[in-house]
Amino acid sequence: ILYQKGTLDRAEQLIAQAATALPGNPDIRYHLGAVYAKRGKKAEARRELEQALKSPSFPAAAEARKALEQLK
């Protein structure tokens, strides 16, 4: 919701905390990558999206691949 409202600082803070607590969760990594991409942090976004895609059971894999392509 914070991401959608444009409150990116707070969104990044909360999602980064969640990623630290649950580093193997691909959904969290994907959302953190999306926030980084929106903020122009391309290297960080790429890292998070690639981590999300390492999970074999990641339902948003197509969206993550599309987001990676947009970072190029």
Side-chain angles (χ1 to χ4, degrees):
I1 293 173
L2 292 170
Y3 173 84
Q4 292 172 343
K5 289 184 174 184
T7 311
L8 299 178
D9 289 337
R10 185 71 175 140
E12 180 180 335
Q13 179 186 21
L14 292 174
I15 298 171
Q17 288 174 356
T20 299
L22 299 167
N25 185 307
D27 291 311
I28 293 171
R29 302 306 285 261
Y30 167 67
H31 289 291
L32 183 55
V35 170
Y36 283 149
K38 185 81 166 184
R39 298 194 72 199
K41 297 180 176 184
K42 291 184 178 186
E44 294 90 341
R46 190 172 290 111
R47 180 189 67 231
E48 295 302 327
L49 294 168
E50 288 172 350
Q51 285 297 318
L53 287 168
K54 288 182 180 181
S55 175
S57 61
F58 178 45
E63 290 89 354
R65 282 189 208 89
K66 183 178 177 180
L68 269 175
E69 285 297 316
Q70 293 175 348
L71 290 173
K72 291 183 179 179

